[in-house]
Amino acid sequence: MTKKQRLLLIKEGLERTYPDADCSLRYTDPWQLLVSAILATQCTDKRVNMVTPALFERYKTVYDFALADEKELQGYIRSTGFFNHKAKNIIASANRICSVYNGIVPDTIDELTTLAGVGRKIANLIIGDIFKKPAIVVDTHAKRLSFRMGLTKNTDPTKIEMDLLKIIEPEYSSKFCHQLVELGREFCTARSPKCDICPVKEGCKKVL
């Protein structure tokens, strides 16, 4: 079975089980998604969503974040962990967006990854969910599942991203990643995957 044939069976299972999969972070504009994604580093989306309503009420625009007092900002995001580093990155990113991009979140991987705290994972989330361009978000779920399923032999996130971009239809790439998150949480867990009842077992190399 080729990777594309395998992917077709996996996609059928994912679409059947998670037809409405989407980003679980709550946001109303590109900047808010960027902030939420930075906060979600080594933190759950659920926790981030508990923090951001008050945060975005206090700082309503990217310009507000650029002028934020670092200590005050830390207070709003403390429960997400690594709050000192995250506050510094958020303020630095806001300043760069305001000074270089006229307050508008850029729409390319190369530009996004010049922002403090933004690597390819976050950049791809923005590219895919905001700008609707082909994008593969290689988080812990995508890394674990794509290897188990036989869609890649690599463990390096960038190499995994390139492997998946070769076989996944551009218009499906972002949704595929959100579906993997759902599958990874419910069935294909790190320690005890439920392979016998997994909805994508027909295409999974681990099962076959």
Side-chain angles (χ1 to χ4, degrees):
M1 189 185 301
T2 67
K3 289 181 180 178
K4 285 194 174 183
Q5 290 171 328
R6 190 182 301 284
L7 178 64
L8 182 61
L9 294 173
I10 291 169
K11 180 181 178 181
E12 289 175 355
L14 290 174
E15 288 284 77
R16 184 173 61 250
T17 312
Y18 308 110
D20 302 315
D22 203 354
C23 181
S24 54
L25 293 170
R26 297 173 191 158
Y27 62 94
T28 59
D29 59 47
W31 169 247
Q32 287 191 0
L33 178 57
L34 185 63
V35 171
S36 295
I38 292 174
L39 294 178
T41 302
Q42 295 184 285
C43 179
T44 65
D45 290 359
K46 182 178 180 180
R47 166 57 58 182
V48 172
N49 287 336
M50 292 171 64
V51 166
T52 50
L55 179 68
F56 295 146
E57 179 62 28
R58 171 64 180 88
Y59 307 103
K60 292 182 170 60
T61 70
V62 64
Y63 292 97
D64 293 333
F65 276 94
L67 297 172
D69 175 79
E70 190 172 321
K71 288 293 184 182
E72 182 185 3
L73 178 56
Q74 288 173 6
Y76 280 91
I77 66 174
R78 184 177 295 271
S79 65
T80 68
F82 303 96
F83 57 90
N84 293 329
H85 195 54
K86 290 177 181 179
K88 191 179 299 292
N89 284 340
I90 289 169
I91 292 172
S93 290
N95 274 283
R96 181 168 175 79
I97 288 174
C98 291
S99 62
V100 178
Y101 302 109
N102 298 314
I104 299 172
V105 174
D107 64 352
T108 70
I109 295 289
D110 289 344
E111 290 173 311
L112 284 164
T113 51
T114 67
L115 303 174
V118 178
R120 291 192 68 88
K121 181 176 74 172
I122 293 177
N124 273 300
L125 178 65
I126 301 297
I127 290 296
D129 281 47
I130 297 297
F131 299 108
K132 309 305 179 184
K133 297 180 181 181
I136 297 292
V137 178
V138 183
D139 59 6
T140 56
H141 296 289
K143 182 178 179 180
R144 181 177 73 252
L145 273 61
S146 59
F147 185 83
R148 278 182 179 173
M149 292 172 176
L151 300 179
T152 181
K153 294 181 179 179
N154 288 301
T155 56
D156 176 75
T158 302
K159 291 181 179 179
I160 293 172
E161 178 189 336
M162 297 303 120
D163 286 343
L164 295 179
L165 281 172
K166 292 175 184 176
I167 59 174
I168 297 174
E169 308 100 299
E171 64 276 8
Y172 176 57
S173 57
S174 287
K175 184 178 183 181
F176 173 74
C177 295
H178 292 313
Q179 289 173 329
L180 288 189
V181 171
E182 299 290 346
L183 185 73
R185 289 171 176 167
E186 186 174 1
F187 294 99
C188 198
T189 55
R191 294 184 179 180
S192 303
K194 303 177 181 70
C195 297
D196 56 329
I197 58 172
C198 181
V200 305
K201 63 182 180 180
E202 289 80 5
C204 181
K205 185 177 182 180
K206 184 180 188 299
V207 177
L208 299 175

